């Protein structure tokens, strides 16, 4: 399987996309536009969802996950990410995307490039794909330390 290099940004023509890519595009649309309602439609609203990211640790259940997005969306920093170098693996009632995110974290004059390994898992629920898990890791230790340092100074997530 050859990884796809055309990024998913959230700005795609969603009607032209296969359903799994549409669900991914919906996520990046919600994230990059800082739209909490769209984000809540993308995720399953149950206690068995999980998210593991470089800053927030492991969050379990929609309420904990939603609080992370609320902080990101309402804070002073602007974060943009897009998925690329990814593969889609679909099986019956589930699919997962494995790839990389690139983007930037901006607050004031500080700009930190982001390079994240990521996996997103979706389940077919009531006829539509909904996200049930995300794992993201910043692979460069110096980049991770810089990102964590800026965020700990109260600039976001």
């Amino acid at each position: 399987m050859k990884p796809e290099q055309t990024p998913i940004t959230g700005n795609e023509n969603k009607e032209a996309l296969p359903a799994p890519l549409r669900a991914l595009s919906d996520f990046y649309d919600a994230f990059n536009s800082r739209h909490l309602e769209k984000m809540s439609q993308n995720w399953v609203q149950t206690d068995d969802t999980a998210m593991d990211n470089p800053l927030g640790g492991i969050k379990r259940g929609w309420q904990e996950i939603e609080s992370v997005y609320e902080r990101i969306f309402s804070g002073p920093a602007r974060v943009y990410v897009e998925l690329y170098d990814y593969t889609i693996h679909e099986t019956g009632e589930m699919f997962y995307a494995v790839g990389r995110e690139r983007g930037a974290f901006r607050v004031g004059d500080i700009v930190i490039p982001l390079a994240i390994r990521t996996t997103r898992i979706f389940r077919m629920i009531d006829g539509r794909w909904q996200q049930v898990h995300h794992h993201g890791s910043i692979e460069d230790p110096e980049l991770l330390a810089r990102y964590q340092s800026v965020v700990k100074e109260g600039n976001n997530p």
Side-chain angles (χ1 to χ4, degrees):
M1 176 176 288
K2 183 178 177 193
E4 178 61 49
Q5 299 305 313
T6 303
I8 296 178
T9 65
N11 293 320
E12 294 77 19
N13 175 2
K14 292 183 182 35
E15 286 88 37
L17 296 175
L21 291 181
R22 189 174 321 124
L24 285 163
S25 180
D26 286 344
F27 168 80
Y28 289 95
D29 179 17
F31 187 88
N32 290 325
S33 67
R34 301 165 60 107
H35 198 293
L36 192 57
E37 179 58 31
K38 285 182 182 179
M39 187 61 73
S40 70
Q41 292 170 10
N42 190 260
W43 280 86
V44 173
Q45 309 283 308
T46 63
D47 290 338
D48 63 350
T49 59
M51 180 171 72
D52 187 4
N53 68 51
L55 295 175
I58 298 174
K59 300 297 181 191
R60 291 185 170 89
W62 172 245
Q63 286 185 322
E64 287 187 10
I65 294 168
E66 182 181 38
S67 71
V68 171
Y69 290 122
E70 285 174 339
R71 283 195 328 269
I72 293 169
F73 296 169
S74 65
R78 296 293 180 256
V79 185
Y80 171 85
V81 291
E82 60 187 30
L83 181 68
Y84 77 105
D85 194 30
Y86 64 89
T87 53
I88 303 290
H89 309 265
E90 189 174 349
T91 174
E93 300 296 311
M94 183 181 75
F95 86 84
Y96 56 99
V98 178
R100 299 177 187 281
E101 291 174 331
R102 62 184 169 209
F105 172 92
R106 301 174 192 275
V107 61
D109 293 335
I110 300 169
V111 178
I112 299 173
L114 296 177
I116 303 167
R117 292 180 307 227
T118 194
T119 301
R120 295 189 181 279
I121 302 173
F122 289 74
R123 284 183 41 215
M124 179 62 73
I125 299 172
D126 296 329
R128 66 186 188 101
W129 291 114
Q130 290 189 281
Q131 194 165 183
V132 296
H133 178 73
H134 168 248
H135 179 95
S137 299
I138 295 177
E139 56 192 41
D140 179 336
E142 290 176 15
L143 179 61
L144 176 59
R146 186 171 170 219
Y147 182 51
Q148 289 174 329
S149 173
V150 169
V151 171
K152 285 179 184 174
E153 291 173 9
N155 293 308
N156 232 28

